[in-house]
Amino acid sequence: MPGLPTPSAVLLDLDGTLVDTVAARIAGWRAAYGGIGIELTEDDLGPQIGRDGVALAVELATRSGRALDDAAARALDADAGRRFDQLAATRAALPGARALLEALDAAGVPWAIATSSAPDQVVASVAAVGLATPPRVVDGSHVQRAKPAPDLLLLGAQQLGVDPARCWYVGDSTWDMRAAVAAGMVPVAVLAGSAVDEPTLREAGAAAVVPTLAEVMGLHPALAAHNRTV
């Protein structure tokens, strides 16, 4: 594992990183596309999860020979979101999620969630982590451009009062890694909830790739020390 610069703050993606929702996202999109007569596979959709929903709608429709205008793309995105909510009515935190966030608090490392998800979807996913107090969240409603644009991440760093270059961004998708690179942050990828593999994440810019969130603690001296005492 490469030595990483010790961060002044940590930003984290939510769905697929802290909460196990990627399979439901894929199923929601497959059903939404099926509703307009486009049949897609999990392999078609997996690499697209984590990017802006409207862009995803246009991209895969275009590949299937269907042109979508902005209104149709937004409608498809909304339908996929509704189907996701139904499929992911019960959500579970990914291994190490709560422990990592509690370790960050115990070590005095500022952190926040930076997610492209809509505010109403964020609530259920955050609840699944089971934190004692509500976290700071920057979501898709706070910026005009979703990932892979760096806007979410830069706003999160701004709210934490930290130079982006002193931040890690922890995520599960190539879009997370590209957004982190664009923001000038250190991209850290976690495989547990991801729809893509390690080489794909590294190609997208990941400086480190770990199996679960528990291993993220081993990358940070203060967190590793905390982990050894509990």
Side-chain angles (χ1 to χ4, degrees), residues 6-107:
T6 300
S8 298
V10 175
L11 295 170
L12 306 101
D13 175 51
L14 180 59
D15 289 309
T17 300
L18 296 175
V19 183
D20 190 9
T21 53
V22 168
R25 284 284 183 197
I26 291 172
W29 274 107
R30 286 188 72 188
Y33 272 109
I36 63 170
I38 297 176
E39 298 301 321
L40 296 175
T41 68
E42 291 183 5
D43 288 341
D44 293 325
L45 281 157
Q48 299 294 325
I49 300 301
R51 72 182 301 188
D52 175 73
V54 175
L56 190 162
V58 171
E59 171 77 16
L60 292 185
T62 301
R63 289 189 195 178
S64 301
R66 178 84 64 85
L68 297 182
D69 61 22
D70 185 66
R74 292 184 183 280
L76 185 62
D77 181 28
D79 186 32
R82 286 189 293 270
R83 294 173 188 270
F84 166 75
D85 287 337
Q86 294 169 355
L87 291 163
T90 301
R91 305 178 195 185
L94 282 158
R98 182 172 175 177
L100 171 59
L101 300 181
E102 290 178 345
L104 288 167
D105 284 335

Side-chain angles (χ1 to χ4, degrees), residues 117-142:
S117 296
D120 56 336
Q121 295 176 347
V122 167
V123 172
S125 289
V126 168
V129 183
L131 299 172
T133 57
R136 182 189 297 273
V137 178
V138 180
D139 63 46
S141 70
H142 295 137

Side-chain angles (χ1 to χ4, degrees), residues 1-2 4 12 16-17 94-96 100 168-173 177 187-194 196-199 201-202 206-220:
M1 187 64 62
L4 301 180
L12 306 101
T17 300
L94 282 158
L100 171 59
W168 287 2
Y169 186 60
V170 181
D172 67 287
S173 72
M177 300 301 101
V188 177
V190 184
L191 292 169
S194 180
V196 294
D197 59 15
E198 179 173 350
L201 290 163
R202 288 198 179 276
V209 181
V210 294
T212 72
L213 290 163
E215 283 79 18
V216 174
M217 286 189 276
L219 302 176
H220 190 302

